[in-house]
Amino acid sequence: VLAYAPQSPLTLTLETSGLGQLVLPPSVTVAAGETAASFTFSVADDALVNLTRTATLYATAPGVISTPAVLSITDDEKPVVRLELPAQVVEGVNATVNAAVSMDLVPAVAVRFDLAAAPTAQISFPTSVTIQPGQSEARFTVRAIDDTRVDGDVPVTITATAASLAPLTAVITAVDNESRAFTLQGPD
């Protein structure tokens, strides 16, 4: 939309920052006396897992100050995502690379998953993992925190969240290694 109506037809050049993301005409002409012109564009279907992304649309002409429009593009490729954890981790056992977030489709962009646990203070793990472009999984380590409390085996829910994807949850049990045997000694 123009702030003023031109006295003669005004041709605006159309460009986008998201190369290959939008299919649009090279230009649009605003008729004399009008403040807007419409045009048709579409989103290129690229068959890549690139999730939700943005493209910026520019309409420019000599002597015209334009404000770009930012468009949000939602991917139509919907990967199946899995959070894989061992059934249990034991206090005092030094586990290595025993968990993963995986996708059935290989992403064209990095996909970061933020990780959280409830309850906290039972297991240790990274706060986030990233599936890199061209990879199908990100592997990481989950360990039970070795404390001196007799707190029994504790089920812990880990949640993995990533932009444009539904949250994932899985349960792992933190197995206590403190002895539950008590000795009572009476007077001699």
Side-chain angles (χ1 to χ4, degrees):
V1 176
L2 298 172
Y4 66 92
Q7 294 179 357
S8 59
L10 175 63
T11 300
L12 299 167
T13 301
L14 300 175
E15 297 175 325
T16 181
S17 66
L19 299 176
Q21 299 293 322
L22 299 177
V23 178
L24 50 99
S27 64
V28 63
T29 300
V30 179
E34 298 293 324
T35 59
S38 62
F39 60 93
T40 301
F41 72 93
S42 62
V43 175
D45 189 2
D46 58 12
L48 298 174
V49 176
N50 40 25
L51 305 177
T52 299
R53 60 215 179 272
T54 59
T56 304
L57 178 62
Y58 302 90
T60 60
V64 174
I65 298 172
S66 65
T67 301
V70 178
L71 306 171
S72 180
I73 301 170
T74 302
D75 197 358
D76 63 345
E77 281 72 42
K78 301 294 182 198
V80 175
V81 186
R82 290 183 181 82
L83 174 58
E84 303 162 20
L85 302 173
Q88 63 183 27
V89 285
V90 180
E91 289 182 6
V93 174
N94 195 16
T96 58
V97 192
N98 57 357
V101 176
S102 63
M103 300 172 75
D104 70 332
L105 301 173
V106 176
V109 296
V111 182
R112 176 188 160 138
F113 290 86
D114 292 317
L115 303 174
T120 60
Q122 293 295 323
I123 59 173
S124 67
F125 55 92
T127 57
S128 68
V129 295
T130 301
I131 298 178
Q132 297 297 330
Q135 302 294 313
S136 62
E137 69 178 2
R139 300 193 57 75
F140 60 100
T141 300
V142 178
R143 293 186 179 105
I145 295 173
D146 195 5
D147 55 29
T148 57
R149 294 187 317 262
V150 177
D151 50 3
D153 298 350
V154 179
V156 178
T157 300
I158 293 183
T159 302
T161 56
S164 305
L165 296 171
L168 305 166
T169 60
V171 177
I172 185 171
T173 300
V175 177
D176 195 6
N177 67 349
E178 275 70 48
S179 171
R180 289 173 188 80
F182 293 99
T183 303
L184 294 176
Q185 185 172 348
D188 287 337

